[in-house]
Amino acid sequence: MVHFKFQILLLLIAFVQFSYAVPQKLLLSVYYESNCPDSKSFILKQLQPAYHLLHEYVKLRFVPFGKSRSINYGDDGFECQHGSAECLGNMVQDCALHQMKAESDKNKLAYVACEMHSEAGSQGRLDCVEKSNLSSEQVEQCVTSGQGTILQLESEYFTSLVKPKFVPTITINREFNQEMQDYAQVDLIGTLCSILTDSQPCARYYNYLALNNLLNTQTRNIH
Ligand SMILES: *[C@@H]1O[C@H](CO)[C@@H](O)[C@H](O)[C@H]1NC(C)=O
């Protein structure tokens, strides 16, 4: 009898472990530029909803640099795809994200989305920094003291490892894959769910799409 109970207990433990196994998170890196319309649209329309759905399965890494270029190792500043305002915007974001190192990805994404939406940083405004409860003095100091230049040189180095042809570019677990890259621009949830096949949110998402599809087909047939 005792033995039997013990077996049930073991079964229960196995079941609990199986159903609550904490998934290994994917590392999603985003290489982007502060004033780039494609980066803005990707972060607001793809990354935000995807992270909302899949935050338990995804870790975020932001690299605000893109196709910028340092001049004289940053001694003479940077040259950016969308002009010098973009260089400032990239540096402000690097400085703020550095200050947010210990914060959640959710907070980091909220901050970056605010910047991409408003382009505040590239206009020298620190609204988004303040909205995220960061010290605007510290960010300002980072930008003017040379620390921001060092952070941007680091971002340049990380970006050079990926050599993006298109901005924004993503990598998953530090790997670039052209198919994933192209798919992510139009359907990041689908892209991540093609890897996270067994996750509940993906299953629910596909059920929802299938149901919608079915309803649409039926509506079409009625008309
Ligand atoms: C910032 O701080 C205020 C007041 O403490 C709080 O209500 C708000 O939620 C915080 N915002 C963020 C993004 O942490």
Side-chain angles (χ1 to χ4, degrees):
M1 188 63 190
V2 172
H3 189 66
F4 181 63
K5 269 192 187 155
F6 183 65
Q7 277 183 340
I8 289 185
L9 185 67
L10 276 186
L11 261 176
L12 267 178
I13 289 172
F15 179 72
V16 167
Q17 281 189 339
F18 177 71
S19 51
Y20 291 103
V22 178
Q24 179 85 35
K25 285 191 178 185
L26 296 178
L27 175 64
L28 177 67
S29 305
V30 184
Y31 301 83
Y32 67 107
E33 293 164 349
S34 65
N35 280 10
C36 158
D38 290 323
S39 298
K40 175 176 178 170
S41 138
F42 177 77
I43 288 167
L44 300 180
K45 297 194 184 128
Q46 297 295 334
L47 187 58
Q48 277 195 312
Y51 189 74
H52 184 70
L53 185 74
L54 297 168
H55 56 92
E56 282 175 82
Y57 301 85
V58 177
K59 216 183 128 28
L60 299 178
R61 176 170 165 252
F62 292 103
V63 186
F65 195 80
K67 291 193 174 171
S68 311
R69 203 168 58 82
S70 60
I71 305 165
N72 263 330
Y73 301 97
D75 282 351
D76 296 325
F78 295 84
E79 212 171 69
C80 297
Q81 211 185 353
H82 303 90
S84 57
E86 175 160 87
C87 295
L88 177 60
N90 289 344
M91 193 179 285
V92 166
Q93 289 195 41
D94 240 347
C95 284
L97 287 166
H98 185 70
Q99 219 188 100
M100 297 182 93
K101 259 209 275 208
E103 290 197 34
S104 66
D105 285 351
K106 184 176 171 222
N107 288 356
K108 289 179 199 164
L109 175 56
Y111 164 71
V112 169
C114 175
E115 290 286 8
M116 299 312 285
H117 179 73
S118 67
E119 299 189 0
S122 65
Q123 294 160 22
R125 290 186 290 110
L126 298 179
D127 312 15
C128 295
V129 169
E130 280 157 19
K131 223 168 137 186
S132 293
N133 290 341
L134 302 171
S135 150
S136 50
E137 287 80 17
Q138 267 185 45
V139 169
E140 222 174 282
Q141 215 207 338
C142 169
V143 168
T144 52
S145 70
Q147 189 195 6
T149 300
I150 292 170
L151 291 172
Q152 278 285 281
L153 289 173
E154 278 174 16
S155 290
E156 181 171 36
Y157 170 71
F158 293 135
T159 305
S160 76
L161 300 177
V162 183
K163 299 187 190 67
K165 285 198 221 53
F166 182 82
V167 179
T169 276
I170 60 145
T171 61
I172 296 173
N173 292 340
R174 299 186 191 274
E175 299 237 348
F176 176 80
N177 174 301
Q178 188 67 55
E179 225 174 293
M180 293 282 182
Q181 161 70 14
D182 296 341
Y183 190 13
Q185 303 304 315
V186 290
D187 184 0
L188 181 60
I189 291 179
T191 309
L192 295 171
C193 282
S194 74
I195 304 170
L196 301 165
T197 41
D198 294 335
S199 75
Q200 259 190 33
C202 287
R204 254 184 284 144
Y205 180 69
Y206 282 120
N207 280 342
Y208 165 79
L209 286 187
L211 188 66
N212 244 354
N213 216 345
L214 192 71
L215 289 176
N216 283 340
T217 319
Q218 283 181 348
T219 319
R220 268 201 302 278
N221 287 345
I222 289 166
H223 290 308

